[in-house]
mmCIF file of all heavy atoms in Angstrom:
data_model
loop_
_atom_site.group_PDB
_atom_site.id
_atom_site.type_symbol
_atom_site.label_atom_id
_atom_site.label_comp_id
_atom_site.label_asym_id
_atom_site.label_seq_id
_atom_site.Cartn_x
_atom_site.Cartn_y
_atom_site.Cartn_z
ATOM 1 N N GLU A 19 0.857 -1.183 0.000
ATOM 2 C CA GLU A 19 0.000 0.000 0.000
ATOM 3 C C GLU A 19 0.891 1.230 0.000
ATOM 4 O O GLU A 19 2.018 1.193 0.490
ATOM 5 C CB GLU A 19 -0.900 0.038 1.236
ATOM 6 C CG GLU A 19 -2.005 -0.972 1.218
ATOM 7 C CD GLU A 19 -2.952 -0.821 2.411
ATOM 8 O OE1 GLU A 19 -2.747 0.092 3.246
ATOM 9 O OE2 GLU A 19 -3.883 -1.630 2.494
ATOM 10 N N ILE A 20 0.378 2.322 -0.535
ATOM 11 C CA ILE A 20 1.116 3.576 -0.526
ATOM 12 C C ILE A 20 0.421 4.527 0.435
ATOM 13 O O ILE A 20 -0.784 4.753 0.345
ATOM 14 C CB ILE A 20 1.203 4.170 -1.944
ATOM 15 C CG1 ILE A 20 1.978 3.215 -2.847
ATOM 16 C CG2 ILE A 20 1.842 5.551 -1.895
ATOM 17 C CD1 ILE A 20 2.083 3.653 -4.282
ATOM 18 N N TYR A 21 1.182 5.058 1.385
ATOM 19 C CA TYR A 21 0.658 5.987 2.371
ATOM 20 C C TYR A 21 1.586 7.191 2.418
ATOM 21 O O TYR A 21 2.773 7.066 2.700
ATOM 22 C CB TYR A 21 0.576 5.310 3.744
ATOM 23 C CG TYR A 21 0.096 6.213 4.850
ATOM 24 C CD1 TYR A 21 -1.233 6.615 4.909
ATOM 25 C CD2 TYR A 21 0.970 6.675 5.822
ATOM 26 C CE1 TYR A 21 -1.687 7.449 5.910
ATOM 27 C CE2 TYR A 21 0.527 7.504 6.833
ATOM 28 C CZ TYR A 21 -0.793 7.895 6.870
ATOM 29 O OH TYR A 21 -1.240 8.725 7.865
ATOM 30 N N ARG A 22 1.049 8.367 2.111
ATOM 31 C CA ARG A 22 1.826 9.614 2.086
ATOM 32 C C ARG A 22 3.086 9.477 1.249
ATOM 33 O O ARG A 22 4.177 9.887 1.648
ATOM 34 C CB ARG A 22 2.160 10.066 3.502
ATOM 35 C CG ARG A 22 0.947 10.458 4.280
ATOM 36 C CD ARG A 22 1.314 11.104 5.574
ATOM 37 N NE ARG A 22 0.091 11.517 6.278
ATOM 38 C CZ ARG A 22 0.066 12.217 7.362
ATOM 39 N NH1 ARG A 22 1.190 12.623 7.916
ATOM 40 N NH2 ARG A 22 -1.068 12.538 7.930
ATOM 41 N N GLY A 23 2.940 8.852 0.107
ATOM 42 C CA GLY A 23 4.036 8.742 -0.850
ATOM 43 C C GLY A 23 5.024 7.631 -0.595
ATOM 44 O O GLY A 23 5.913 7.392 -1.390
ATOM 45 N N ALA A 24 4.892 6.922 0.510
ATOM 46 C CA ALA A 24 5.810 5.826 0.810
ATOM 47 C C ALA A 24 5.069 4.496 0.683
ATOM 48 O O ALA A 24 3.901 4.388 1.035
ATOM 49 C CB ALA A 24 6.368 5.977 2.227
ATOM 50 N N GLU A 25 5.764 3.509 0.157
ATOM 51 C CA GLU A 25 5.162 2.188 -0.022
ATOM 52 C C GLU A 25 5.414 1.334 1.215
ATOM 53 O O GLU A 25 6.529 1.269 1.727
ATOM 54 C CB GLU A 25 5.744 1.500 -1.258
ATOM 55 C CG GLU A 25 5.053 0.203 -1.594
ATOM 56 C CD GLU A 25 5.551 -0.415 -2.891
ATOM 57 O OE1 GLU A 25 6.642 -0.058 -3.344
ATOM 58 O OE2 GLU A 25 4.840 -1.261 -3.426
ATOM 59 N N TYR A 26 4.350 0.700 1.706
ATOM 60 C CA TYR A 26 4.427 -0.184 2.855
ATOM 61 C C TYR A 26 3.891 -1.548 2.465
ATOM 62 O O TYR A 26 2.921 -1.647 1.722
ATOM 63 C CB TYR A 26 3.580 0.349 4.020
ATOM 64 C CG TYR A 26 4.073 1.658 4.567
ATOM 65 C CD1 TYR A 26 3.612 2.868 4.062
ATOM 66 C CD2 TYR A 26 5.012 1.677 5.585
ATOM 67 C CE1 TYR A 26 4.067 4.072 4.559
ATOM 68 C CE2 TYR A 26 5.480 2.880 6.096
ATOM 69 C CZ TYR A 26 5.006 4.070 5.575
ATOM 70 O OH TYR A 26 5.463 5.259 6.064
ATOM 71 N N VAL A 27 4.500 -2.582 3.004
ATOM 72 C CA VAL A 27 4.008 -3.934 2.771
ATOM 73 C C VAL A 27 3.095 -4.306 3.939
ATOM 74 O O VAL A 27 3.496 -4.215 5.094
ATOM 75 C CB VAL A 27 5.160 -4.947 2.641
ATOM 76 C CG1 VAL A 27 4.617 -6.366 2.521
ATOM 77 C CG2 VAL A 27 6.036 -4.597 1.462
ATOM 78 N N VAL A 28 1.864 -4.679 3.621
ATOM 79 C CA VAL A 28 0.910 -5.125 4.635
ATOM 80 C C VAL A 28 0.948 -6.647 4.634
ATOM 81 O O VAL A 28 0.389 -7.291 3.754
ATOM 82 C CB VAL A 28 -0.512 -4.597 4.328
ATOM 83 C CG1 VAL A 28 -1.483 -5.080 5.388
ATOM 84 C CG2 VAL A 28 -0.507 -3.079 4.241
ATOM 85 N N ASP A 29 1.676 -7.221 5.605
ATOM 86 C CA ASP A 29 1.869 -8.673 5.649
ATOM 87 C C ASP A 29 0.654 -9.404 6.205
ATOM 88 O O ASP A 29 0.301 -10.475 5.730
ATOM 89 C CB ASP A 29 3.073 -9.038 6.513
ATOM 90 C CG ASP A 29 4.387 -8.636 5.859
ATOM 91 O OD1 ASP A 29 4.416 -8.529 4.627
ATOM 92 O OD2 ASP A 29 5.358 -8.429 6.593
ATOM 93 N N PHE A 30 0.050 -8.840 7.238
ATOM 94 C CA PHE A 30 -1.037 -9.520 7.923
ATOM 95 C C PHE A 30 -2.360 -8.861 7.560
ATOM 96 O O PHE A 30 -2.564 -7.679 7.819
ATOM 97 C CB PHE A 30 -0.814 -9.506 9.444
ATOM 98 C CG PHE A 30 0.403 -10.268 9.849
ATOM 99 C CD1 PHE A 30 1.592 -9.617 10.113
ATOM 100 C CD2 PHE A 30 0.362 -11.647 9.940
ATOM 101 C CE1 PHE A 30 2.723 -10.329 10.481
ATOM 102 C CE2 PHE A 30 1.484 -12.370 10.302
ATOM 103 C CZ PHE A 30 2.668 -11.713 10.571
ATOM 104 N N LEU A 31 -3.239 -9.648 6.971
ATOM 105 C CA LEU A 31 -4.530 -9.138 6.526
ATOM 106 C C LEU A 31 -5.594 -9.405 7.584
ATOM 107 O O LEU A 31 -5.554 -10.417 8.274
ATOM 108 C CB LEU A 31 -4.919 -9.821 5.210
ATOM 109 C CG LEU A 31 -3.917 -9.609 4.078
ATOM 110 C CD1 LEU A 31 -4.282 -10.472 2.883
ATOM 111 C CD2 LEU A 31 -3.849 -8.147 3.686
ATOM 112 N N PRO A 32 -6.578 -8.500 7.719
ATOM 113 C CA PRO A 32 -7.629 -8.703 8.720
ATOM 114 C C PRO A 32 -8.559 -9.854 8.324
ATOM 115 O O PRO A 32 -8.999 -9.947 7.173
ATOM 116 C CB PRO A 32 -8.383 -7.372 8.742
ATOM 117 C CG PRO A 32 -8.079 -6.735 7.432
ATOM 118 C CD PRO A 32 -6.739 -7.245 7.002
ATOM 119 N N LYS A 33 -8.837 -10.726 9.265
ATOM 120 C CA LYS A 33 -9.743 -11.861 9.079
ATOM 121 C C LYS A 33 -10.584 -12.004 10.343
ATOM 122 O O LYS A 33 -10.318 -11.361 11.356
ATOM 123 C CB LYS A 33 -8.959 -13.162 8.856
ATOM 124 C CG LYS A 33 -8.007 -13.166 7.686
ATOM 125 C CD LYS A 33 -8.717 -13.230 6.380
ATOM 126 C CE LYS A 33 -7.690 -13.288 5.247
ATOM 127 N NZ LYS A 33 -8.322 -13.404 3.957
ATOM 128 N N LEU A 34 -11.569 -12.865 10.285
ATOM 129 C CA LEU A 34 -12.338 -13.233 11.470
ATOM 130 C C LEU A 34 -12.186 -14.729 11.688
ATOM 131 O O LEU A 34 -12.171 -15.504 10.735
ATOM 132 C CB LEU A 34 -13.822 -12.909 11.287
ATOM 133 C CG LEU A 34 -14.197 -11.436 11.218
ATOM 134 C CD1 LEU A 34 -15.699 -11.299 11.024
ATOM 135 C CD2 LEU A 34 -13.756 -10.688 12.454
ATOM 136 N N LYS A 35 -12.088 -15.114 12.957
ATOM 137 C CA LYS A 35 -12.067 -16.535 13.299
ATOM 138 C C LYS A 35 -13.364 -16.859 14.021
ATOM 139 O O LYS A 35 -13.682 -16.254 15.040
ATOM 140 C CB LYS A 35 -10.871 -16.881 14.185
ATOM 141 C CG LYS A 35 -10.847 -18.362 14.574
ATOM 142 C CD LYS A 35 -9.510 -18.789 15.105
ATOM 143 C CE LYS A 35 -9.421 -18.597 16.581
ATOM 144 N NZ LYS A 35 -8.217 -19.252 17.159
ATOM 145 N N ILE A 36 -14.103 -17.789 13.458
ATOM 146 C CA ILE A 36 -15.349 -18.262 14.055
ATOM 147 C C ILE A 36 -15.064 -19.617 14.687
ATOM 148 O O ILE A 36 -14.467 -20.492 14.054
ATOM 149 C CB ILE A 36 -16.454 -18.415 12.993
ATOM 150 C CG1 ILE A 36 -16.762 -17.068 12.366
ATOM 151 C CG2 ILE A 36 -17.705 -19.035 13.596
ATOM 152 C CD1 ILE A 36 -17.686 -17.175 11.166
ATOM 153 N N GLU A 37 -15.495 -19.795 15.930
ATOM 154 C CA GLU A 37 -15.335 -21.067 16.619
ATOM 155 C C GLU A 37 -16.703 -21.556 17.066
ATOM 156 O O GLU A 37 -17.456 -20.804 17.688
ATOM 157 C CB GLU A 37 -14.429 -20.912 17.843
ATOM 158 C CG GLU A 37 -13.017 -20.482 17.489
ATOM 159 C CD GLU A 37 -12.192 -20.191 18.720
ATOM 160 O OE1 GLU A 37 -12.218 -19.045 19.184
ATOM 161 O OE2 GLU A 37 -11.541 -21.137 19.219
ATOM 162 N N ILE A 38 -17.015 -22.802 16.708
ATOM 163 C CA ILE A 38 -18.254 -23.429 17.160
ATOM 164 C C ILE A 38 -17.942 -24.856 17.591
ATOM 165 O O ILE A 38 -16.992 -25.465 17.100
ATOM 166 C CB ILE A 38 -19.363 -23.433 16.079
ATOM 167 C CG1 ILE A 38 -18.909 -24.193 14.830
ATOM 168 C CG2 ILE A 38 -19.786 -22.023 15.727
ATOM 169 C CD1 ILE A 38 -20.007 -24.363 13.777
ATOM 170 N N VAL A 39 -18.721 -25.364 18.536
ATOM 171 C CA VAL A 39 -18.630 -26.771 18.918
ATOM 172 C C VAL A 39 -19.998 -27.378 18.643
ATOM 173 O O VAL A 39 -21.020 -26.839 19.062
ATOM 174 C CB VAL A 39 -18.234 -26.933 20.401
ATOM 175 C CG1 VAL A 39 -18.219 -28.411 20.785
ATOM 176 C CG2 VAL A 39 -16.874 -26.310 20.648
ATOM 177 N N VAL A 40 -20.000 -28.470 17.894
ATOM 178 C CA VAL A 40 -21.257 -29.084 17.449
ATOM 179 C C VAL A 40 -21.234 -30.582 17.731
ATOM 180 O O VAL A 40 -20.166 -31.177 17.844
ATOM 181 C CB VAL A 40 -21.485 -28.848 15.933
ATOM 182 C CG1 VAL A 40 -21.611 -27.369 15.626
ATOM 183 C CG2 VAL A 40 -20.379 -29.460 15.097
ATOM 184 N N PRO A 41 -22.429 -31.191 17.833
ATOM 185 C CA PRO A 41 -22.477 -32.656 17.932
ATOM 186 C C PRO A 41 -21.897 -33.272 16.660
ATOM 187 O O PRO A 41 -21.939 -32.663 15.586
ATOM 188 C CB PRO A 41 -23.973 -32.963 18.046
ATOM 189 C CG PRO A 41 -24.643 -31.673 18.350
ATOM 190 C CD PRO A 41 -23.750 -30.585 17.869
ATOM 191 N N ASP A 42 -21.369 -34.463 16.772
ATOM 192 C CA ASP A 42 -20.805 -35.147 15.600
ATOM 193 C C ASP A 42 -21.794 -35.193 14.445
ATOM 194 O O ASP A 42 -21.406 -35.066 13.284
ATOM 195 C CB ASP A 42 -20.376 -36.572 15.969
ATOM 196 C CG ASP A 42 -19.138 -36.586 16.852
ATOM 197 O OD1 ASP A 42 -18.316 -35.653 16.752
ATOM 198 O OD2 ASP A 42 -18.992 -37.536 17.651
ATOM 199 N N SER A 43 -23.076 -35.353 14.750
ATOM 200 C CA SER A 43 -24.091 -35.485 13.706
ATOM 201 C C SER A 43 -24.271 -34.205 12.890
ATOM 202 O O SER A 43 -24.751 -34.252 11.765
ATOM 203 C CB SER A 43 -25.437 -35.885 14.322
ATOM 204 O OG SER A 43 -25.849 -34.902 15.263
ATOM 205 N N LEU A 44 -23.882 -33.045 13.438
ATOM 206 C CA LEU A 44 -24.023 -31.768 12.726
ATOM 207 C C LEU A 44 -22.719 -31.273 12.109
ATOM 208 O O LEU A 44 -22.724 -30.294 11.369
ATOM 209 C CB LEU A 44 -24.518 -30.683 13.693
ATOM 210 C CG LEU A 44 -25.990 -30.340 13.703
ATOM 211 C CD1 LEU A 44 -26.280 -29.240 14.717
ATOM 212 C CD2 LEU A 44 -26.509 -29.962 12.353
ATOM 213 N N ALA A 45 -21.610 -31.925 12.402
ATOM 214 C CA ALA A 45 -20.295 -31.413 11.998
ATOM 215 C C ALA A 45 -20.146 -31.277 10.486
ATOM 216 O O ALA A 45 -19.726 -30.224 9.998
ATOM 217 C CB ALA A 45 -19.187 -32.300 12.560
ATOM 218 N N LEU A 46 -20.489 -32.301 9.747
ATOM 219 C CA LEU A 46 -20.327 -32.246 8.295
ATOM 220 C C LEU A 46 -21.217 -31.173 7.676
ATOM 221 O O LEU A 46 -20.780 -30.417 6.802
ATOM 222 C CB LEU A 46 -20.613 -33.613 7.668
ATOM 223 C CG LEU A 46 -20.353 -33.731 6.168
ATOM 224 C CD1 LEU A 46 -18.912 -33.361 5.838
ATOM 225 C CD2 LEU A 46 -20.670 -35.119 5.672
ATOM 226 N N LYS A 47 -22.460 -31.076 8.138
ATOM 227 C CA LYS A 47 -23.386 -30.061 7.621
ATOM 228 C C LYS A 47 -22.871 -28.659 7.928
ATOM 229 O O LYS A 47 -22.898 -27.770 7.077
ATOM 230 C CB LYS A 47 -24.780 -30.277 8.205
ATOM 231 C CG LYS A 47 -25.820 -29.336 7.662
ATOM 232 C CD LYS A 47 -26.071 -29.590 6.187
ATOM 233 C CE LYS A 47 -27.177 -28.698 5.664
ATOM 234 N NZ LYS A 47 -27.272 -28.722 4.215
ATOM 235 N N ALA A 48 -22.385 -28.442 9.149
ATOM 236 C CA ALA A 48 -21.852 -27.131 9.537
ATOM 237 C C ALA A 48 -20.645 -26.770 8.674
ATOM 238 O O ALA A 48 -20.520 -25.624 8.218
ATOM 239 C CB ALA A 48 -21.480 -27.119 11.008
ATOM 240 N N LEU A 49 -19.787 -27.728 8.428
ATOM 241 C CA LEU A 49 -18.617 -27.514 7.572
ATOM 242 C C LEU A 49 -19.042 -27.078 6.174
ATOM 243 O O LEU A 49 -18.522 -26.101 5.625
ATOM 244 C CB LEU A 49 -17.794 -28.796 7.523
ATOM 245 C CG LEU A 49 -16.528 -28.776 6.693
ATOM 246 C CD1 LEU A 49 -15.431 -28.039 7.428
ATOM 247 C CD2 LEU A 49 -16.095 -30.195 6.401
ATOM 248 N N GLU A 50 -20.002 -27.786 5.598
ATOM 249 C CA GLU A 50 -20.487 -27.455 4.254
ATOM 250 C C GLU A 50 -21.144 -26.079 4.209
ATOM 251 O O GLU A 50 -20.939 -25.313 3.266
ATOM 252 C CB GLU A 50 -21.489 -28.512 3.780
ATOM 253 C CG GLU A 50 -20.853 -29.862 3.520
ATOM 254 C CD GLU A 50 -21.884 -30.963 3.300
ATOM 255 O OE1 GLU A 50 -23.096 -30.734 3.514
ATOM 256 O OE2 GLU A 50 -21.461 -32.068 2.921
ATOM 257 N N VAL A 51 -21.919 -25.758 5.238
ATOM 258 C CA VAL A 51 -22.626 -24.474 5.296
ATOM 259 C C VAL A 51 -21.628 -23.314 5.386
ATOM 260 O O VAL A 51 -21.766 -22.309 4.692
ATOM 261 C CB VAL A 51 -23.602 -24.469 6.495
ATOM 262 C CG1 VAL A 51 -24.008 -23.079 6.897
ATOM 263 C CG2 VAL A 51 -24.823 -25.301 6.167
ATOM 264 N N ILE A 52 -20.603 -23.471 6.221
ATOM 265 C CA ILE A 52 -19.587 -22.420 6.340
ATOM 266 C C ILE A 52 -18.848 -22.253 5.016
ATOM 267 O O ILE A 52 -18.645 -21.137 4.539
ATOM 268 C CB ILE A 52 -18.593 -22.732 7.475
ATOM 269 C CG1 ILE A 52 -19.293 -22.693 8.827
ATOM 270 C CG2 ILE A 52 -17.425 -21.751 7.453
ATOM 271 C CD1 ILE A 52 -18.466 -23.257 9.968
ATOM 272 N N GLN A 53 -18.464 -23.366 4.417
ATOM 273 C CA GLN A 53 -17.722 -23.307 3.160
ATOM 274 C C GLN A 53 -18.533 -22.586 2.086
ATOM 275 O O GLN A 53 -18.014 -21.735 1.368
ATOM 276 C CB GLN A 53 -17.349 -24.712 2.696
ATOM 277 C CG GLN A 53 -16.498 -24.719 1.453
ATOM 278 C CD GLN A 53 -16.083 -26.121 1.039
ATOM 279 O OE1 GLN A 53 -16.500 -27.110 1.650
ATOM 280 N NE2 GLN A 53 -15.280 -26.213 0.018
ATOM 281 N N HIS A 54 -19.799 -22.890 1.999
ATOM 282 C CA HIS A 54 -20.664 -22.266 0.984
ATOM 283 C C HIS A 54 -20.885 -20.779 1.284
ATOM 284 O O HIS A 54 -20.777 -19.935 0.398
ATOM 285 C CB HIS A 54 -22.000 -22.998 0.914
ATOM 286 C CG HIS A 54 -22.953 -22.406 -0.066
ATOM 287 N ND1 HIS A 54 -22.798 -22.543 -1.426
ATOM 288 C CD2 HIS A 54 -24.049 -21.637 0.118
ATOM 289 C CE1 HIS A 54 -23.768 -21.889 -2.039
ATOM 290 N NE2 HIS A 54 -24.543 -21.332 -1.115
ATOM 291 N N ALA A 55 -21.162 -20.438 2.538
ATOM 292 C CA ALA A 55 -21.482 -19.051 2.893
ATOM 293 C C ALA A 55 -20.260 -18.141 2.827
ATOM 294 O O ALA A 55 -20.389 -16.952 2.529
ATOM 295 C CB ALA A 55 -22.108 -18.995 4.285
ATOM 296 N N ALA A 56 -19.067 -18.663 3.087
ATOM 297 C CA ALA A 56 -17.860 -17.840 3.105
ATOM 298 C C ALA A 56 -17.190 -17.738 1.739
ATOM 299 O O ALA A 56 -16.262 -16.965 1.549
ATOM 300 C CB ALA A 56 -16.869 -18.398 4.122
ATOM 301 N N PHE A 57 -17.677 -18.476 0.759
ATOM 302 C CA PHE A 57 -17.045 -18.553 -0.561
ATOM 303 C C PHE A 57 -17.223 -17.272 -1.371
ATOM 304 O O PHE A 57 -18.327 -16.752 -1.492
ATOM 305 C CB PHE A 57 -17.651 -19.736 -1.338
ATOM 306 C CG PHE A 57 -17.113 -19.894 -2.732
ATOM 307 C CD1 PHE A 57 -15.903 -20.533 -2.940
ATOM 308 C CD2 PHE A 57 -17.797 -19.388 -3.815
ATOM 309 C CE1 PHE A 57 -15.402 -20.678 -4.219
ATOM 310 C CE2 PHE A 57 -17.311 -19.533 -5.095
ATOM 311 C CZ PHE A 57 -16.108 -20.180 -5.298
ATOM 312 N N THR A 58 -16.106 -16.765 -1.902
ATOM 313 C CA THR A 58 -16.158 -15.675 -2.890
ATOM 314 C C THR A 58 -15.515 -16.111 -4.196
ATOM 315 O O THR A 58 -15.722 -15.485 -5.217
ATOM 316 C CB THR A 58 -15.424 -14.399 -2.396
ATOM 317 O OG1 THR A 58 -14.019 -14.663 -2.338
ATOM 318 C CG2 THR A 58 -15.948 -13.916 -1.074
ATOM 319 N N GLY A 59 -14.687 -17.153 -4.126
ATOM 320 C CA GLY A 59 -13.981 -17.607 -5.320
ATOM 321 C C GLY A 59 -12.654 -16.896 -5.524
ATOM 322 O O GLY A 59 -11.945 -17.161 -6.489
ATOM 323 N N LYS A 60 -12.312 -15.997 -4.611
ATOM 324 C CA LYS A 60 -11.073 -15.244 -4.737
ATOM 325 C C LYS A 60 -10.080 -15.710 -3.674
ATOM 326 O O LYS A 60 -10.460 -16.250 -2.631
ATOM 327 C CB LYS A 60 -11.347 -13.754 -4.567
ATOM 328 C CG LYS A 60 -12.247 -13.217 -5.659
ATOM 329 C CD LYS A 60 -12.345 -11.713 -5.600
ATOM 330 C CE LYS A 60 -13.085 -11.255 -6.841
ATOM 331 N NZ LYS A 60 -14.307 -10.588 -6.583
ATOM 332 N N MET A 61 -8.814 -15.456 -3.930
ATOM 333 C CA MET A 61 -7.769 -15.821 -2.986
ATOM 334 C C MET A 61 -8.045 -15.142 -1.647
ATOM 335 O O MET A 61 -8.490 -14.000 -1.597
ATOM 336 C CB MET A 61 -6.411 -15.380 -3.526
ATOM 337 C CG MET A 61 -5.256 -15.893 -2.712
ATOM 338 S SD MET A 61 -3.671 -15.499 -3.456
ATOM 339 C CE MET A 61 -3.539 -16.825 -4.630
ATOM 340 N N GLY A 62 -7.808 -15.861 -0.555
ATOM 341 C CA GLY A 62 -8.011 -15.300 0.773
ATOM 342 C C GLY A 62 -9.366 -15.612 1.378
ATOM 343 O O GLY A 62 -9.731 -15.041 2.396
ATOM 344 N N ASP A 63 -10.132 -16.521 0.746
ATOM 345 C CA ASP A 63 -11.437 -16.893 1.297
ATOM 346 C C ASP A 63 -11.309 -17.504 2.687
ATOM 347 O O ASP A 63 -12.226 -17.399 3.486
ATOM 348 C CB ASP A 63 -12.154 -17.885 0.381
ATOM 349 C CG ASP A 63 -12.971 -17.197 -0.699
ATOM 350 O OD1 ASP A 63 -13.082 -15.959 -0.660
ATOM 351 O OD2 ASP A 63 -13.508 -17.906 -1.564
ATOM 352 N N GLY A 64 -10.198 -18.138 2.993
ATOM 353 C CA GLY A 64 -9.973 -18.650 4.340
ATOM 354 C C GLY A 64 -9.801 -20.147 4.407
ATOM 355 O O GLY A 64 -9.640 -20.822 3.398
ATOM 356 N N LYS A 65 -9.880 -20.656 5.629
ATOM 357 C CA LYS A 65 -9.719 -22.089 5.877
ATOM 358 C C LYS A 65 -10.668 -22.510 6.989
ATOM 359 O O LYS A 65 -11.121 -21.701 7.786
ATOM 360 C CB LYS A 65 -8.286 -22.388 6.323
ATOM 361 C CG LYS A 65 -7.252 -22.164 5.242
ATOM 362 C CD LYS A 65 -6.099 -23.095 5.418
ATOM 363 C CE LYS A 65 -5.137 -23.107 4.271
ATOM 364 N NZ LYS A 65 -4.776 -21.863 3.662
#
């Protein structure tokens, strides 16, 4: 990024970490739902 004429490297990008604990029976569905809802198709979508 350029700020006041000087170039700076922004190494760490802002993200959110969501933590949930679910019964085993809901784990796969929750995983799929998060993956679908968080998807943009661009680099940096997350893990």
Side-chain angles (χ1 to χ4, degrees):
E19 288 185 1
I20 297 177
Y21 178 72
R22 294 189 178 187
E25 187 175 19
Y26 295 90
V27 175
V28 180
D29 290 335
F30 296 99
L31 301 172
K33 302 287 182 178
L34 292 179
K35 179 164 89 169
I36 298 171
E37 297 174 271
I38 60 174
V39 177
V40 298
D42 289 331
S43 59
L44 261 180
L46 186 57
K47 184 66 177 169
L49 181 77
E50 292 169 351
V51 161
I52 294 168
Q53 184 177 4
H54 178 73
F57 178 81
T58 68
K60 296 188 172 118
M61 188 174 277
D63 273 353
K65 293 211 170 42

